[in-house]
């Protein structure tokens, strides 16, 4: 049984977020939390909160089960571009340079490797 957590309009550029996300893709949840805790990037704090939210969502779906017993892992994690805030910075000779303040959307899916097959 898998659980999903989403983070929309996070005010970090998608390129910076992907650097952090690539570190935990496919890892066990406990190891991923340790990686994020000791990663020295601002995006790691946001991804850590998102991962904890996904774990809680999984626990809500599977009442009576513990993540440690079911070998919970990060199944998929995707970063997409969000909206851009467009600003102008004054430039020489009366011109204005455009600044694009980027944001992103992160979707995280956790799943358990301990899958019981049902026979009909």
């Amino acid at each position: 049984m898998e659980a999903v957590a989403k983070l929309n309009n996070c005010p970090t550029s998608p390129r910076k977020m992907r650097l952090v996300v690539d570190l935990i893709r496919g890892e066990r949840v406990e190891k991923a939390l340790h990686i994020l805790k000791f990663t020295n990037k601002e995006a790691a704090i946001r991804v850590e909160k998102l991962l904890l939210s996904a774990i809680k969502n999984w626990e809500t779906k599977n009442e009576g089960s513990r993540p440690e017993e079911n070998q919970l892992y990060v199944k998929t994690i995707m970063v997409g571009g969000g909206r851009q805030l467009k600003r102008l910075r004054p430039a020489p000779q009366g011109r204005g340079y455009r600044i694009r303040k980027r944001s992103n959307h992160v979707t995280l899916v956790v799943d358990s490797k301990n899958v019981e097959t049902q026979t009909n």
Side-chain angles (χ1 to χ4, degrees):
M1 195 79 176
E2 60 184 33
V4 179
K6 293 182 181 182
L7 175 64
N8 289 329
N9 291 322
C10 179
T12 307
S13 71
R15 187 175 182 177
K16 291 178 183 177
M17 186 64 83
R18 283 188 192 106
L19 289 173
V20 174
V21 163
D22 290 340
L23 295 173
I24 65 166
R25 187 175 285 123
E27 296 288 342
R28 285 191 353 266
V29 168
E30 297 86 11
K31 185 176 180 185
L33 285 171
H34 288 299
I35 290 170
L36 292 172
K37 185 173 182 176
F38 294 107
T39 301
N40 193 16
K41 297 225 176 252
E42 182 189 351
I45 299 167
R46 300 174 198 271
V47 176
E48 183 180 8
K49 285 178 71 171
L50 183 66
L51 181 57
L52 290 172
S53 174
I55 294 168
K56 291 292 182 187
N57 292 343
W58 185 88
E59 287 175 352
T60 304
K61 275 187 170 182
N62 304 301
E63 292 195 23
S65 298
R66 295 173 46 104
E68 298 85 22
E69 296 168 356
N70 290 308
Q71 299 176 0
L72 210 59
Y73 73 104
V74 179
K75 185 175 182 180
T76 58
I77 183 164
M78 299 174 292
V79 177
R83 64 178 185 178
Q84 292 183 10
L85 298 175
K86 296 183 174 123
R87 301 288 183 256
L88 286 177
R89 167 170 280 159
Q93 298 180 355
R95 288 189 295 260
Y97 291 157
R98 169 135 325 148
I99 296 175
R100 293 174 302 193
K101 296 189 174 191
R102 300 173 189 267
S103 65
N104 63 60
H105 304 313
V106 184
T107 305
L108 188 133
V109 179
V110 294
D111 198 3
S112 60
K113 289 185 180 179
N114 209 3
V115 179
E116 293 122 18
T117 58
Q118 297 178 358
T119 57
N120 293 331

Short mmCIF file of all heavy atoms in Angstrom, two decimals, residues 56-80:
data_model
loop_
_atom_site.label_atom_id
_atom_site.label_comp_id
_atom_site.label_asym_id
_atom_site.label_seq_id
_atom_site.Cartn_x
_atom_site.Cartn_y
_atom_site.Cartn_z
N LYS A 56 3.37 9.66 7.67
CA LYS A 56 2.14 9.75 8.46
C LYS A 56 0.92 9.35 7.61
O LYS A 56 0.00 8.70 8.11
CB LYS A 56 1.94 11.16 9.01
CG LYS A 56 2.94 11.53 10.07
CD LYS A 56 2.72 10.71 11.31
CE LYS A 56 3.70 11.12 12.39
NZ LYS A 56 3.64 10.25 13.54
N ASN A 57 0.91 9.75 6.34
CA ASN A 57 -0.18 9.35 5.45
C ASN A 57 -0.22 7.83 5.30
O ASN A 57 -1.29 7.23 5.27
CB ASN A 57 -0.04 10.01 4.08
CG ASN A 57 -0.25 11.49 4.13
OD1 ASN A 57 -0.80 12.02 5.10
ND2 ASN A 57 0.19 12.19 3.10
N TRP A 58 0.95 7.21 5.20
CA TRP A 58 1.02 5.75 5.08
C TRP A 58 0.51 5.08 6.35
O TRP A 58 -0.21 4.09 6.28
CB TRP A 58 2.45 5.32 4.78
CG TRP A 58 2.59 3.86 4.53
CD1 TRP A 58 2.45 3.21 3.34
CD2 TRP A 58 2.86 2.85 5.50
NE1 TRP A 58 2.63 1.87 3.53
CE2 TRP A 58 2.88 1.62 4.84
CE3 TRP A 58 3.08 2.87 6.88
CZ2 TRP A 58 3.12 0.42 5.48
CZ3 TRP A 58 3.33 1.69 7.53
CH2 TRP A 58 3.34 0.47 6.83
N GLU A 59 0.89 5.63 7.50
CA GLU A 59 0.43 5.07 8.77
C GLU A 59 -1.09 5.20 8.91
O GLU A 59 -1.74 4.32 9.48
CB GLU A 59 1.12 5.76 9.95
CG GLU A 59 2.57 5.38 10.11
CD GLU A 59 3.25 6.17 11.22
OE1 GLU A 59 2.64 7.12 11.75
OE2 GLU A 59 4.40 5.84 11.54
N THR A 60 -1.66 6.28 8.40
CA THR A 60 -3.10 6.47 8.46
C THR A 60 -3.83 5.43 7.59
O THR A 60 -4.85 4.89 7.98
CB THR A 60 -3.48 7.89 7.99
OG1 THR A 60 -2.78 8.83 8.79
CG2 THR A 60 -4.97 8.13 8.12
N LYS A 61 -3.27 5.15 6.42
CA LYS A 61 -3.87 4.15 5.53
C LYS A 61 -3.76 2.74 6.10
O LYS A 61 -4.64 1.93 5.93
CB LYS A 61 -3.18 4.18 4.16
CG LYS A 61 -3.71 5.20 3.22
CD LYS A 61 -3.06 5.00 1.88
CE LYS A 61 -3.71 5.84 0.82
NZ LYS A 61 -3.12 5.62 -0.49
N ASN A 62 -2.63 2.44 6.73
CA ASN A 62 -2.35 1.09 7.25
C ASN A 62 -2.33 1.12 8.76
O ASN A 62 -1.26 1.03 9.36
CB ASN A 62 -0.99 0.59 6.72
CG ASN A 62 -0.94 0.62 5.21
OD1 ASN A 62 -1.74 -0.01 4.56
ND2 ASN A 62 0.00 1.37 4.68
N GLU A 63 -3.47 1.24 9.37
CA GLU A 63 -3.53 1.30 10.82
C GLU A 63 -3.08 -0.02 11.42
O GLU A 63 -3.42 -1.09 10.93
CB GLU A 63 -4.93 1.66 11.28
CG GLU A 63 -5.29 3.08 10.90
CD GLU A 63 -6.50 3.57 11.65
OE1 GLU A 63 -6.81 3.03 12.71
OE2 GLU A 63 -7.13 4.50 11.14
N GLY A 64 -2.32 0.05 12.48
CA GLY A 64 -1.82 -1.15 13.15
C GLY A 64 -0.49 -1.62 12.59
O GLY A 64 0.12 -2.54 13.13
N SER A 65 -0.01 -1.02 11.51
CA SER A 65 1.28 -1.39 10.93
C SER A 65 2.31 -0.33 11.27
O SER A 65 2.00 0.84 11.42
CB SER A 65 1.17 -1.50 9.41
OG SER A 65 0.26 -2.50 9.05
N ARG A 66 3.56 -0.77 11.38
CA ARG A 66 4.64 0.16 11.67
C ARG A 66 5.54 0.25 10.44
O ARG A 66 5.79 -0.75 9.78
CB ARG A 66 5.45 -0.33 12.87
CG ARG A 66 4.65 -0.32 14.16
CD ARG A 66 5.43 -0.96 15.28
NE ARG A 66 6.81 -0.49 15.35
CZ ARG A 66 7.26 0.37 16.25
NH1 ARG A 66 6.44 0.84 17.15
NH2 ARG A 66 8.52 0.72 16.26
N PRO A 67 6.06 1.45 10.15
CA PRO A 67 6.91 1.62 8.96
C PRO A 67 8.20 0.79 9.05
O PRO A 67 8.70 0.32 8.04
CB PRO A 67 7.24 3.11 8.95
CG PRO A 67 6.27 3.75 9.84
CD PRO A 67 5.78 2.73 10.79
N GLU A 68 8.73 0.60 10.27
CA GLU A 68 9.98 -0.14 10.42
C GLU A 68 9.80 -1.62 10.05
O GLU A 68 10.68 -2.24 9.48
CB GLU A 68 10.52 -0.04 11.85
CG GLU A 68 10.84 1.37 12.30
CD GLU A 68 9.62 2.11 12.84
OE1 GLU A 68 8.64 1.46 13.25
OE2 GLU A 68 9.65 3.35 12.82
N GLU A 69 8.64 -2.17 10.40
CA GLU A 69 8.39 -3.59 10.14
C GLU A 69 8.11 -3.86 8.66
O GLU A 69 8.39 -4.94 8.15
CB GLU A 69 7.19 -4.07 10.96
CG GLU A 69 7.42 -4.00 12.45
CD GLU A 69 6.13 -4.20 13.23
OE1 GLU A 69 5.05 -4.32 12.60
OE2 GLU A 69 6.22 -4.24 14.47
N ASN A 70 7.57 -2.90 7.96
CA ASN A 70 7.16 -3.10 6.57
C ASN A 70 8.19 -2.61 5.56
O ASN A 70 7.89 -2.55 4.37
CB ASN A 70 5.82 -2.42 6.31
CG ASN A 70 4.70 -3.13 7.01
OD1 ASN A 70 4.54 -4.33 6.87
ND2 ASN A 70 3.94 -2.40 7.80
N GLN A 71 9.37 -2.25 5.99
CA GLN A 71 10.45 -1.81 5.11
C GLN A 71 9.97 -0.71 4.14
O GLN A 71 10.01 -0.86 2.94
CB GLN A 71 11.02 -2.98 4.33
CG GLN A 71 11.61 -4.05 5.22
CD GLN A 71 12.07 -5.26 4.42
OE1 GLN A 71 11.95 -5.30 3.20
NE2 GLN A 71 12.61 -6.23 5.12
N LEU A 72 9.53 0.38 4.71
CA LEU A 72 9.03 1.50 3.92
C LEU A 72 10.18 2.16 3.18
O LEU A 72 11.27 2.35 3.73
CB LEU A 72 8.37 2.51 4.87
CG LEU A 72 7.23 3.34 4.32
CD1 LEU A 72 6.11 2.45 3.85
CD2 LEU A 72 6.71 4.27 5.39
N TYR A 73 9.96 2.51 1.90
CA TYR A 73 11.01 3.16 1.10
C TYR A 73 10.39 4.23 0.21
O TYR A 73 9.18 4.26 0.00
CB TYR A 73 11.77 2.12 0.28
CG TYR A 73 11.01 1.57 -0.91
CD1 TYR A 73 11.30 1.98 -2.20
CD2 TYR A 73 10.00 0.64 -0.74
CE1 TYR A 73 10.60 1.49 -3.28
CE2 TYR A 73 9.30 0.13 -1.81
CZ TYR A 73 9.60 0.55 -3.09
OH TYR A 73 8.91 0.07 -4.16
N VAL A 74 11.24 5.10 -0.32
CA VAL A 74 10.79 6.17 -1.21
C VAL A 74 10.66 5.57 -2.60
O VAL A 74 11.65 5.29 -3.26
CB VAL A 74 11.79 7.35 -1.21
CG1 VAL A 74 11.33 8.43 -2.16
CG2 VAL A 74 11.98 7.89 0.18
N LYS A 75 9.43 5.37 -3.04
CA LYS A 75 9.19 4.71 -4.33
C LYS A 75 9.48 5.67 -5.48
O LYS A 75 10.29 5.38 -6.35
CB LYS A 75 7.74 4.22 -4.40
CG LYS A 75 7.43 3.43 -5.63
CD LYS A 75 6.03 2.89 -5.56
CE LYS A 75 5.71 2.06 -6.79
NZ LYS A 75 4.35 1.53 -6.73
N THR A 76 8.81 6.80 -5.49
CA THR A 76 9.07 7.82 -6.51
C THR A 76 9.04 9.19 -5.86
O THR A 76 8.33 9.41 -4.89
CB THR A 76 8.00 7.82 -7.64
OG1 THR A 76 6.72 8.02 -7.06
CG2 THR A 76 8.02 6.53 -8.42
N ILE A 77 9.84 10.08 -6.42
CA ILE A 77 9.82 11.48 -5.98
C ILE A 77 10.12 12.32 -7.22
O ILE A 77 11.10 12.07 -7.92
CB ILE A 77 10.81 11.73 -4.82
CG1 ILE A 77 10.72 13.16 -4.34
CG2 ILE A 77 12.21 11.34 -5.16
CD1 ILE A 77 11.35 13.40 -3.00
N MET A 78 9.23 13.25 -7.51
CA MET A 78 9.34 14.05 -8.73
C MET A 78 9.31 15.53 -8.38
O MET A 78 8.60 15.94 -7.47
CB MET A 78 8.17 13.74 -9.66
CG MET A 78 8.10 12.30 -10.12
SD MET A 78 6.61 11.95 -11.06
CE MET A 78 5.35 12.12 -9.81
N VAL A 79 10.07 16.31 -9.15
CA VAL A 79 10.08 17.76 -8.99
C VAL A 79 9.66 18.37 -10.31
O VAL A 79 10.27 18.09 -11.35
CB VAL A 79 11.47 18.28 -8.59
CG1 VAL A 79 11.48 19.78 -8.49
CG2 VAL A 79 11.91 17.66 -7.30
N GLY A 80 8.63 19.18 -10.29
CA GLY A 80 8.18 19.89 -11.48
C GLY A 80 8.23 21.39 -11.24
O GLY A 80 8.23 21.85 -10.10
#
